[in-house]
Amino acid sequence: VKVRQYKRGGWEVDIMLTFPGRPAIRERRKSPVGSKSAAKRWGEERERQLIDHYTNTEPDDPRRPSISKEEVPTLAAFIPRYMKGHCEANRLSPATIAQKTSSFQCHLLPAFGRRRLDRITAEDIQRFKGERAHLEPSTVNLHLKHLKSVLSVAMEWGVIVTMPTRIKKLKEVEPEAHFYDFEEFDRLVLAAERLDAPNGLLVV
């Protein structure tokens, strides 16, 4: 496995395999992850998938598509691995871990838990949004952010080769800011000063 800088940015992973009595197999891909070390790990995992595939296929079919025989896990099966190997290993705060756990249990697992990671579709994402029309867009977007994080980690670890779909967030409306006019502000300052000095200072 060789990793070299891609001419348009990022890293190219070049994998060369040779098997006795079979044509050489070469796969060159742009790495789906950003750093050189992560690209190297991704390439080594892809190499293992190719070796497993080509050593477990019929000898008369050496050119079959390079799909690993190993079953891609469902979201429900992968979540514990993600929580331990990513969230806990990177020492995310207890509040962040609790937030992710709640999001998985209450929303993502009921919607996608039985889906294989590589079979989550754009239609699935749209259905998820539609079924949560009662929630604020920012809340739905937070759940989608957690899902995207899981899929990104799965891709970095070589569990899936590419992102199964593009996850588009809902448009969030910025809350309108309220401004006092001069007369309102003067009344506020006077009222605060009548209470005590700290309140008056806080308002000003």
Side-chain angles (χ1 to χ4, degrees):
V1 179
K2 296 182 179 179
V3 177
R4 60 178 66 92
Q5 208 158 16
Y6 197 68
K7 58 184 178 182
R8 296 181 182 176
W11 302 94
E12 180 186 68
V13 178
D14 189 350
I15 303 171
M16 176 70 78
L17 299 175
T18 57
F19 297 100
R22 294 190 181 186
I25 298 163
R26 188 177 190 185
E27 183 173 284
R28 297 171 66 182
R29 293 191 183 186
K30 183 178 180 182
S31 169
V33 292
S35 70
K36 185 176 182 180
S37 59
K40 178 72 172 177
R41 292 194 299 271
W42 182 87
E44 290 170 347
E45 178 63 28
R46 181 61 183 160
E47 179 190 39
R48 286 191 289 271
Q49 291 178 353
L50 290 171
I51 292 172
D52 179 70
H53 173 69
Y54 280 105
T55 55
N56 287 280
T57 51
E58 295 299 323
D60 60 347
D61 194 270
R63 294 288 188 177
R64 283 181 59 184
S66 55
I67 302 172
S68 172
K69 287 178 69 64
E70 184 179 352
E71 186 79 2
V72 174
T74 63
L75 181 68
F78 186 71
I79 287 296
R81 181 177 170 188
Y82 166 83
M83 294 298 293
K84 185 174 182 63
H86 175 73
C87 299
E88 295 178 16
N90 287 323
R91 303 182 185 181
L92 301 188
S93 70
T96 299
I97 291 178
Q99 183 188 73
K100 286 177 178 286
T101 300
S102 176
S103 179
F104 293 145
Q105 292 178 349
C106 300
H107 295 276
L108 296 175
L109 288 177
F112 307 109
R114 296 184 179 181
R115 285 278 190 180
R116 278 179 31 165
L117 296 177
D118 59 346
R119 292 183 181 174
I120 295 174
T121 67
E123 185 177 1
D124 293 331
I125 300 297
Q126 290 303 112
R127 187 181 302 111
F128 179 83
K129 294 176 185 176
E131 290 173 349
R132 284 153 185 80
H134 59 288
L135 299 177
E136 290 292 327
S138 59
T139 302
V140 177
N141 287 342
L142 180 63
H143 298 318
L144 294 176
K145 178 183 176 181
H146 294 325
L147 175 62
K148 185 175 181 180
S149 175
V150 173
L151 295 175
S152 297
V153 169
M155 187 171 67
E156 181 179 347
W157 291 353
V159 177
I160 55 177
V161 176
T162 60
M163 290 289 282
T165 185
R166 182 183 174 189
I167 298 178
K168 299 179 181 179
K169 294 183 177 181
L170 292 171
K171 183 177 180 180
E172 297 183 30
V173 179
E174 292 291 334
E176 186 176 344
H178 176 73
F179 297 94
Y180 294 106
D181 60 29
F182 292 110
E183 184 178 345
E184 289 175 326
F185 184 70
D186 287 340
R187 290 201 301 270
L188 179 63
V189 172
L190 288 173
E193 287 178 342
R194 290 193 193 100
L195 295 174
D196 52 45
N199 278 309
L201 182 61
L202 180 64
V203 169
V204 175

